[in-house]
Amino acid sequence: MDISEIIRYVYVTIGVAILISIPTIYIRKSYFKKQREVYHWKYEVADICFIFYLICLFQITALRFGGIGWDLDNMMSRNTRVNGVPLKEIWIWMVNGRWWHLFYNVIGNCAWFVPLGLILPALYRGYRKHLWRTVFIGLIVSTFIEILQFILCTGVTDIDDVIFNTIGTAMGYMLWASFDWIRSRIK
């Protein structure tokens, strides 16, 4: 996969996220209007950005519309791979010097979930004092993505992804906690 394919895929991902976000915004607006709830616009923008992030996350990891991975023939023939042995592929890539795969799997999987660990405590108070709650949500989201990858045959269903995604969520929470600690000291 060359850089032009990656750039095209990013454009497709953003397009898919926008297309799904528009009805989501309309539904949320209708709900709040119906409930006659007053919702501060800053919180609404933050919620919409979080929803947009989640849509991008699912599109780029599991749905994969627009080329990379998604293929109806793969789904019909159940052409998929499963790695249930933790760190097996990581070890093979290290031994064979496949640094791009190693980098993408470890750093990429962590990086995709750092925003989840950052955003959850920033938006929702119930996650602010509990690292384990945030990490558990990261674990659930990652597991759900891997199940979708298996069902849709859009990638390798890999326990390593769950591990590194969960670590990324914890890193995001730690980043948020650091920002929160600094903010509390400045006040």
Side-chain angles (χ1 to χ4, degrees):
M1 175 178 357
D2 63 4
I3 194 71
S4 64
E5 285 181 280
I6 294 170
I7 291 170
R8 182 181 61 82
Y9 190 58
V10 169
Y11 286 138
V12 170
T13 297
I14 292 171
V16 167
I18 289 170
L19 286 174
I20 295 173
S21 294
I22 290 170
T24 304
I25 292 168
Y26 177 76
I27 290 167
R28 287 177 63 85
K29 184 178 176 186
S30 298
Y31 171 79
F32 288 121
K33 195 175 194 178
K34 185 178 178 183
Q35 298 297 322
R36 298 177 192 228
E37 289 185 31
V38 178
Y39 205 115
H40 197 279
W41 70 270
K42 289 180 186 177
Y43 296 118
E44 186 60 20
V45 168
D47 282 346
I48 294 299
C49 288
F50 183 50
I51 291 167
F52 187 81
Y53 157 74
L54 288 175
I55 294 168
C56 285
L57 181 67
F58 275 84
Q59 157 58 17
I60 210 155
T61 57
L63 301 176
R64 298 185 180 192
F65 298 124
I68 302 174
W70 195 83
D71 185 3
L72 190 57
D73 291 335
N74 280 346
M75 280 182 64
M76 299 310 281
S77 64
R78 297 300 312 145
N79 188 9
T80 188
R81 292 185 342 197
V82 176
N83 174 26
V85 180
L87 306 177
K88 175 185 170 189
E89 292 295 320
I90 300 296
W91 178 255
I92 291 170
W93 292 333
M94 281 178 36
V95 169
N96 293 332
R98 297 182 74 187
W99 303 111
W100 169 249
H101 293 290
L102 184 66
F103 175 81
Y104 180 77
N105 201 341
V106 175
I107 304 301
N109 279 313
C110 285
W112 273 112
F113 275 72
V114 167
L116 183 64
L118 250 166
I119 295 170
L120 278 175
L123 287 180
Y124 307 108
R125 292 179 188 209
Y127 294 96
R128 291 184 181 166
K129 302 282 186 201
H130 305 285
L131 168 67
W132 65 270
R133 281 186 186 170
T134 305
V135 170
F136 183 70
I137 294 296
L139 175 73
I140 296 298
V141 170
S142 179
T143 302
F144 186 65
I145 286 171
E146 295 304 311
I147 290 168
L148 271 177
Q149 282 182 341
F150 179 77
I151 292 168
L152 299 175
C153 302
T154 54
V156 177
T157 303
D158 195 345
I159 189 67
D160 295 344
D161 292 353
V162 175
I163 292 167
F164 293 118
N165 293 342
T166 305
I167 290 170
T169 305
M171 291 167 58
Y173 180 88
M174 297 299 191
L175 198 58
W176 173 84
S178 299
F179 290 146
D180 191 52
W181 183 82
I182 291 168
R183 185 184 56 80
S184 70
R185 297 293 178 239
I186 291 173
K187 285 185 177 184

